[in-house]
Structure formats: structure tokens, C-alpha cells
Amino acid sequence: MKWRKSVRIAVIKMNAHRFRTFLGCVGLCLPCIANSSASVDICQEPTAESHLSIAYYDKEETSLERSLGETTPENYNTDLLFKLNSNWILGGGHRSTILHVDRLELQTNGYLHTFFFPVHRLSQSGNKSFRFSIAPALSASSNVTSDPDEYTADALQLLAAVIWGWQRSDGLGLRYGFCGDHRFGEYHVYPVISVHWQPHPDWKIEIGFPTSQVSHQVTKSLTSLLRIAPNGNEWYVKDKSLTKHSQLIYEAYLLEWALNWRAHTHFMLAASIGREFHSRYEMTLLNESRVRISSDSATRVGVALAWFF
């Protein structure tokens, strides 16, 4: 197996008291640590405070089925989120994937980008909550995103979530609703349901679909998180001459463990290791043939730094 040293940057901003309260209400939400690297996730609750994060992922070399080649993807994440007040959260973000594929000539150059601009509207009434989130996005290869004349409806995405919450008690809550995004590869609108259980002040368990996770606050500044979720995306790609175009789709599931160290009020350091499985690519080759190719399970690692303001 081939490894490269990895760096990843992630974030959550909240003081110790609000951090524990937030755990009890919505679960430990670490979008830059536990989030899928390829996809944009607005289905999970947004973080409680304004933040800036920059991330890098690296994955070991993976063999494609039928010995068609090997892939060594790299992923970069950037997230900026502003909490205007208790009801509105705005932001912007970027997901970048560098897809190296040996022995296959892709129609795309392998540099894939997703730019997105989330808007969250939240409301709370007693033990019930409601959230509507929407995020227009541009998802395409670099030769498309770098030229506004190439933007078409095929490169645009509209991600959305409608989520209701019910806090049954201090240690038990329910979230349900609908999401529409590309976490399963092609665009899907799917139901969301999860039960949040806090058996101990330092433990939080979320069981549901499409995400399940367990978090443990080891110390006041150290938190451990284990999470499983779908990891996918779709990009509109063109060849070098900008005459041929297609959609590149990636599907996978990710099981990931993260360790987050709140080193300072304004900074967090984090490391993660995960395993992607049930991975599949759907893409067009340079000769215009369309292929659906599965790839072996692969390990990825990451390190993170975050700034809160």
C-alpha cells in the first residue's frame, strides 16, 4: 500500500458549557472532522458558532475492479460559517478532489470542484425545533469552474434539508425530515431519521439514517467520535478542448474515527482515520465510452486545525 502524510483542518466553536448543552440537544456535530470528504453535508445540524476551517484528506492507493487501474484520490475542504443570530446561519464552502487514475484515460482532467453557499433557518418552540437549509452549488471539473461561460444547468446543484426535532427528555431526542443532495452519488431526495441518546454526560449516541455516530468527551478539551455515513458526489466534467462533456459520479460509505483536541478557545487540532467501502465510479473515458467501475475498500487519514471567531 502506498501512503502519503496527510493534513486535515476542521472546526467547531463553542465554550465548554454550550458544548455540553449542544451535545445533549443535537449530538456532536463535527462537519469538518467526521464529514464526508467528497460530498457537501447540510443534512446534519450546522455548528453552533461561526468558524473557518480548511481540510486535507489523503487515501491509500486503491485498485479498480478487473485490474483496470489504480486510483489515489486527494480531497481538500474549506468551510466558512457565520451565525447571524439564533435563527439564521450563512456560509460558503469548497470541496476539491484530485482524482489520479492509472491506466485509464478519463474525459476529465481529474481536478474536481464543488463550491456551495449554505443558508440555514432555525426555529425553536419548547422542546420542538425546525430547520430549513438550502445550498446552491456549482460542481464541475476545473476547466469548467474556471470559465463562467461554461456554467450550465448540468454543473449546478441545489442541496436542501427540512428537519424537525423533538427533545423527549434531557437524554433522549428525535430528528426526522427529508434531505436532497449528492451524498449517494446521483441526486436523491431521501428521508432522515435519527434517535439521539445521552446515557452519560460524556457520551452521546446517534442511531439513524443516513448517519450514525457515537461520541465521547474524554476530557474537557479532548473528544472522540466514531461515525458512519455515505460519501459521494457528482461533477459535470469536460475534456481539455471543452467539446466533450459528461457527469462523473462517485459513491461510497465511510466509517471514520476522529480525535479532536480543543487546544485553545479559538483553535482546535484534530486527527482522523477512516475506511471507505462499497466504492463505485461512474465516468466517461476519453474515447466516450461510459463505464461503471467498483474499487477496493481503502483507508484514509487526516489531521486538522480550526479557527473559531
Side-chain angles (χ1 to χ4, degrees):
M1 294 189 299
K2 185 164 120 184
W3 291 85
R4 291 187 300 271
K5 199 174 183 179
S6 308
V7 178
R8 183 182 185 209
I9 304 179
V11 60
I12 299 176
K13 181 183 178 183
M14 37 184 105
N15 58 38
H17 172 72
R18 293 189 67 182
F19 186 80
R20 292 178 181 270
T21 302
F22 188 69
L23 280 175
C25 295
V26 298
L28 182 59
C29 183
L30 300 171
C32 303
I33 293 297
N35 192 19
S36 314
S37 60
S39 60
V40 177
D41 185 0
I42 65 168
C43 195
Q44 289 292 108
E45 297 295 315
T47 53
E49 300 292 341
S50 303
H51 69 264
L52 172 66
S53 67
I54 306 171
Y56 172 75
Y57 290 101
D58 190 34
K59 191 165 69 173
E60 65 177 313
E61 185 177 79
T62 308
S63 297
L64 299 175
E65 65 174 325
R66 304 191 302 274
S67 301
L68 292 176
E70 292 79 31
T71 65
T72 51
E74 299 175 66
N75 296 92
Y76 300 80
N77 290 6
T78 303
D79 289 274
L80 178 62
L81 207 64
F82 288 101
K83 184 175 182 180
L84 301 182
N85 51 47
S86 59
N87 298 117
W88 290 97
I89 300 177
L90 310 177
H94 176 226
R95 300 286 181 267
S96 175
T97 298
I98 302 176
L99 180 61
H100 306 284
V101 180
D102 296 333
R103 289 188 277 161
L104 281 180
E105 290 187 295
L106 304 185
Q107 192 177 78
T108 176
N109 57 9
Y111 292 86
L112 311 171
H113 299 275
T114 302
F115 298 91
F116 59 100
F117 304 92
V119 177
H120 304 279
R121 175 68 168 89
L122 305 91
S123 62
Q124 183 82 34
S125 178
N127 63 347
K128 296 182 179 180
S129 63
F130 174 76
R131 174 172 62 90
F132 173 70
S133 300
I134 190 169
L138 173 70
S139 190
S141 58
S142 60
N143 51 8
V144 175
T145 58
S146 61
D147 186 354
D149 291 336
E150 297 297 326
Y151 296 178
T152 69
D154 292 320
L156 302 178
Q157 299 177 351
L158 186 61
L159 318 175
V162 181
I163 305 294
W164 290 267
W166 178 48
Q167 197 65 30
R168 177 66 178 83
S169 64
D170 289 343
L172 186 63
L174 176 68
R175 250 186 355 114
Y176 57 94
F178 296 92
C179 282
D181 58 28
H182 289 268
R183 292 201 296 169
F184 293 94
E186 294 180 327
Y187 187 84
H188 289 291
V189 177
Y190 52 89
V192 174
I193 186 166
S194 61
V195 176
H196 301 259
W197 178 43
Q198 191 170 10
H200 184 275
D202 294 333
W203 286 90
K204 178 67 182 181
I205 300 172
E206 175 187 343
I207 303 297
F209 176 84
T211 300
S212 294
Q213 61 186 29
V214 178
S215 65
H216 178 218
Q217 189 156 350
V218 184
T219 67
K220 184 178 179 180
S221 59
L222 199 64
T223 305
S224 175
L225 176 70
L226 180 66
R227 185 175 190 254
I228 185 170
N231 175 36
N233 205 348
E234 182 175 2
W235 302 268
Y236 176 66
V237 302
K238 284 196 169 186
D239 65 352
K240 187 176 181 180
S241 65
L242 300 178
T243 58
K244 299 177 182 179
H245 60 85
S246 63
Q247 300 293 130
L248 193 153
I249 300 171
Y250 178 65
E251 302 173 11
Y253 279 86
L254 174 66
L255 176 65
E256 187 170 53
W257 173 75
L259 187 64
N260 307 283
W261 176 41
R262 188 64 179 264
H264 185 272
T265 304
H266 296 290
F267 295 97
M268 177 180 283
L269 218 43
S272 65
I273 182 168
R275 187 76 172 172
E276 284 193 356
F277 56 96
H278 289 174
S279 306
R280 184 181 68 86
Y281 294 93
E282 184 175 337
M283 51 195 174
T284 302
L285 305 183
L286 196 59
N287 63 8
E288 298 193 63
S289 62
R290 188 75 173 168
V291 295
R292 293 165 62 95
I293 306 174
S294 298
S295 63
D296 292 343
S297 299
T299 300
R300 74 174 201 184
V301 292
V303 177
L305 174 65
W307 176 52
F308 322 123
F309 56 92

